[in-house]
Amino acid sequence: MAALVRSSLLLLLAACLALAAADLVVPKVGVALPTAGTNDVIIGNCRSDDRLLMSQTVRKSSKWFKVRTEVVKYPTWGRNGGLISCIQLQALKTANIGSANVQSGGPGQSFVEVKVKSDRGHSVAWNVIIYGR
């Protein structure tokens, strides 16, 4: 019995370490589904009848020993937004991609705030694409 428990714990530990090493970007709010083989994240359910509400490319150059951040807000100030059904966060780099997190709002809401952050000393490059009705 003890051997079975020990082997189960070792399998669980190995799975946790594999996930930590996978360099996945998981937002703080909502369910994130990384697409196969990429660092892209889809939050919510994209449907064929959704329309593009907003698409923004975030690029900031690197600064020595600095973390670069940018907050993307939808809708922009003074405009009414549509109901968000899904958010795609696409990393434009393959290494040192940093992170992109949904800070507030998201699918099922009419607003969202996405914080894009670089790794220390690296640039940031993400596409934030919002679909809805």
Side-chain angles (χ1 to χ4, degrees):
M1 180 70 172
L4 179 62
V5 170
R6 186 173 52 171
S7 66
S8 296
L9 287 174
L10 287 174
L11 278 172
L12 180 62
L13 178 62
C16 290
L17 289 174
L19 284 176
D23 195 22
L24 298 176
V25 179
V26 180
K28 294 178 183 176
V29 178
V31 177
L33 302 171
T35 55
T38 67
N39 292 312
D40 299 349
V41 176
I42 299 172
I43 304 166
N45 295 318
C46 295
R47 298 181 359 184
S48 61
D49 61 340
D50 288 341
R51 62 185 175 93
L52 179 66
L53 298 177
M54 186 185 92
S55 178
Q56 182 173 342
T57 300
V58 178
R59 287 188 184 272
K60 284 194 164 192
S61 61
S62 62
K63 289 203 175 180
W64 193 253
F65 289 113
K66 298 284 184 185
V67 174
R68 306 297 308 261
T69 61
E70 172 109 7
V71 176
V72 177
K73 294 181 181 182
Y74 171 81
T76 54
W77 187 80
R79 298 188 182 212
N80 292 330
L83 186 65
I84 297 170
S85 59
C86 77
I87 303 166
Q88 290 182 353
L89 306 172
Q90 298 175 338
L92 300 177
K93 302 186 334 180
T94 57
N96 301 314
I97 63 169
S99 64
N101 298 311
V102 175
Q103 298 293 306
S104 63
Q109 306 284 326
S110 60
F111 69 97
V112 69
E113 189 173 293
V114 177
K115 183 177 182 182
V116 178
K117 186 168 90 169
S118 73
D119 287 337
R120 186 169 303 281
H122 292 277
S123 62
V124 63
W126 285 83
N127 276 336
V128 178
I129 305 169
I130 301 170
Y131 293 97
R133 294 177 197 97

